[in-house]
Amino acid sequence: MFDTEHISGAISMARLDPGTAAMEFFILLSNLINMNAQPNTLGGNQGYALFGRVIEVMDVIRAIFEQPHSATAGKGTMKGRILETPVNILTVRSDKQALLLPANILGIGSQLMCAVN
């Protein structure tokens, strides 16, 4: 089991309500604990859908983040946050078994090790 805090290396998905996270995930480069569940607050904030943690190659994740971004690609809050040149995830491994992801999501060809719950 991994830490359930939204800290650097956390793999998570945005959602509106529990069970609504669909397909776009993100990896945190810094701590954002405001994304954690806070069930005792007004409205019973359930937090974002944290489902894994990068346990190796955070330097690769940071190198991807540092790549040039397109000023025009993307819509809404994503405008200006899309890489000029897409990179591919070739493989992702859990601490128990290998997981394959479709190309053109994120990655630069090395294995991304992550803990999967």
Side-chain angles (χ1 to χ4, degrees), residues 17-88:
D17 294 306
T20 61
M23 60 184 194
E24 297 175 348
F25 69 91
F26 53 89
I27 299 170
L28 293 180
L29 297 175
S30 62
N31 299 345
L32 290 173
I33 59 171
N34 60 320
M35 293 181 173
N36 294 342
Q38 300 169 21
N40 296 327
T41 62
L42 184 63
N45 178 358
Q46 297 298 306
Y48 279 24
L50 176 65
F51 64 91
R53 176 142 344 270
V54 175
I55 56 174
E56 292 181 16
V57 303
M58 273 304 288
D59 56 328
V60 173
I61 303 299
R62 283 182 173 58
I64 293 167
F65 179 75
E66 296 298 326
Q67 296 302 303
H69 291 70
S70 168
T72 58
K75 295 179 182 179
T77 60
M78 291 306 294
K79 188 168 186 171
R81 297 180 181 221
I82 306 297
L83 296 179
E84 282 183 7
T85 305
V87 291
N88 299 318

Side-chain angles (χ1 to χ4, degrees), residues 11-12 29 31 38 44 49 65 68-70 76-77 81 90 95 100 104-106 114:
I11 305 170
S12 189
L29 297 175
N31 299 345
Q38 300 169 21
F65 179 75
H69 291 70
S70 168
T77 60
R81 297 180 181 221
L90 300 181
D95 57 354
L100 298 177
N104 267 341
I105 298 176
L106 178 71
C114 64

